[in-house]
Amino acid sequence: MNLFKIIDDIQQFDGEYVDRLEYASRRSFMSSFSSKVAAAATPLAVASILNKATAQATLPQQIVDVLNFALTLEYLEAEYYIRGLNTPGLIPANTRDVFDQIRKHEVAHVEFLKSALGNKAVMKPNFDFTAKGMFPNVFSDYPTFVTVAKAFEDTGVRAYKGQAPNLMSVDAILEAALRIHSVEARHAAEVRIILSILTNNPRIEPWITLNEGVPAPVYAGEDNTTHAGVDITGIAGKSKEIITEAFDEPLSKEAVLAIVSPFIMM
């Protein structure tokens, strides 16, 4: 399964038509690709990459550190969806399949990273999904559950982007990380659409506008308008809102750890 071919397939779709679709229709459109993405996300589909990466005698310590960082985030996401799906009455029938598919992806990511790391893989930590009381009803209130899911997915996308430069010394590992990154971005878009429908809030789009969103640290810096040293404010007569929607920003490892640390029990 070639994930980049899937991306090409989606890009062939008329973008203006997608903009005209209602939120529910767009959710169905995105879900139609879930079976393809699931196949692309499995360890089997990236087996050749894994073989190339682990054929080296020793992965550089920087690579090991980044993969363990990613593995911790994937543990967090996989466990979150497992618990949510195992909580009776929490997830409505009309979105249960979506969250179950995302769970499958996250579990696949965990297994892949553990395989790549071998005996260097960190153990799964214990999690407090209330974030030390910040979200006390996360598994009893569906909108809260989806809000936290959105925060996790948006954080994951930015985290992979932020660590990509640190993986450039091993092409096969970088390629695998980019494949996971694009799937995480699909998760984020899907969860954001679900939350938009659920809360009747059209301001929640599949993309991020300015630095809007909660918790606020997840979206810090997303209102940046300078890229490659060029301030593109007002380019082609576009508003700052539209410009920021067209570009995603990375998050540093330190920023990501500050976001997720309340969810990790020491």
Side-chain angles (χ1 to χ4, degrees), residues 79-158:
E79 183 67 18
Y80 184 69
Y81 295 116
I82 289 170
R83 291 195 197 181
L85 288 160
N86 286 337
T87 301
L90 175 63
I91 302 177
N94 65 335
T95 57
R96 187 172 179 84
D97 286 349
V98 174
F99 283 110
D100 189 45
Q101 191 66 63
I102 294 175
R103 174 195 63 79
K104 292 175 184 177
H105 295 173
E106 305 298 7
V107 170
H109 295 165
V110 166
E111 294 306 314
F112 172 72
L113 290 168
K114 287 172 63 179
S115 296
L117 284 159
N119 61 11
K120 295 181 180 180
V122 296
M123 299 292 290
K124 182 173 73 171
N126 294 317
F127 297 111
D128 172 13
F129 289 111
T130 73
K132 298 178 172 59
M134 192 184 308
F135 303 104
N137 59 345
V138 65
F139 290 128
S140 60
D141 179 72
Y142 183 55
T144 300
F145 174 81
V146 180
T147 297
V148 174
K150 176 177 72 70
F152 286 161
E153 297 297 344
D154 284 340
T155 299
V157 172
R158 299 187 70 186

Side-chain angles (χ1 to χ4, degrees), residues 15-83:
E16 293 183 1
Y17 178 67
V18 173
D19 287 340
R20 293 195 298 270
L21 292 176
E22 296 294 333
Y23 283 101
S25 297
R26 287 190 294 172
R27 187 177 71 80
S28 297
F29 164 71
M30 292 178 63
S31 297
S32 70
F33 290 94
S34 63
S35 61
K36 289 186 178 182
V37 175
T42 61
L44 180 61
V46 292
S48 61
I49 296 175
L50 177 60
N51 290 339
K52 287 187 289 183
T54 57
Q56 301 179 40
T58 305
L59 287 174
Q61 187 58 45
Q62 177 176 262
I63 299 291
V64 172
D65 291 344
V66 171
L67 293 184
N68 271 320
F69 171 59
L71 176 58
T72 300
L73 298 180
E74 297 294 352
Y75 278 142
L76 174 76
E77 292 179 315
E79 183 67 18
Y80 184 69
Y81 295 116
I82 289 170
R83 291 195 197 181

Side-chain angles (χ1 to χ4, degrees), residues 168-244:
M168 293 179 66
S169 63
V170 181
D171 289 346
I173 292 292
L174 175 61
E175 182 182 348
L178 291 175
R179 290 186 181 212
I180 293 175
H181 168 265
S182 58
V183 174
E184 294 291 348
R186 294 170 190 273
H187 294 171
E190 181 75 350
V191 172
R192 292 176 68 85
I193 290 173
I194 291 172
L195 187 62
S196 176
I197 298 169
L198 182 65
T199 61
N200 194 29
N201 183 0
R203 290 289 295 176
I204 302 175
E205 296 274 9
W207 43 85
I208 297 170
T209 304
L210 298 173
N211 58 352
E212 297 174 1
V214 293
V218 174
Y219 304 96
E222 284 284 15
D223 55 348
N224 175 49
T225 59
T226 300
H227 301 278
V230 178
D231 186 351
I232 58 175
T233 302
I235 192 170
K238 302 299 183 182
S239 67
K240 183 175 182 179
E241 288 80 1
I242 291 176
I243 289 172
T244 63

